[in-house]
Amino acid sequence: MSASNWEGSVWSHRNGRVVIGRLREVQGSTATLAVVGLGPEVPEGARVLPPDKGGASLLQIPLLLLLGRWKRLGRDA
């Protein structure tokens, strides 16, 4: 399965933090998620991007970290 097929899926950070994100896009070896519950600390390895036009917080994460430290919860219908 291609990582681009995950676009629209919902992910949760595994370390107990309440960070949930919807995968916006995959470009090369990085993923961009629109997130809620970010708080004052950014998950390790993630980079904060400027908010989108709607004001959603965005994170850019290497795919290997997404797969290793985040849990896929489901896909948008």
Side-chain angles (χ1 to χ4, degrees):
M1 173 185 267
S2 169
S4 63
N5 290 337
W6 297 338
E7 290 178 12
S9 60
V10 177
W11 296 74
S12 173
H13 198 266
R14 290 183 191 249
N15 75 352
R17 294 183 48 161
V18 181
V19 181
I20 296 175
R22 182 174 310 278
L23 188 63
R24 287 278 181 94
E25 70 175 342
V26 174
Q27 265 189 330
S29 63
T30 61
T32 301
L33 288 99
V35 296
V36 295
L38 186 57
E41 292 184 32
V42 176
E44 186 179 338
R47 182 170 73 101
V48 177
L49 300 176
D52 68 8
K53 292 178 185 177
S57 298
L58 299 175
L59 287 181
Q60 187 176 58
I61 304 168
L63 282 175
L64 288 176
L65 289 180
L66 180 68
L67 294 173
R69 298 183 183 164
W70 293 69
K71 178 181 178 184
R72 186 173 177 215
L73 301 176
R75 177 153 178 86
D76 188 21

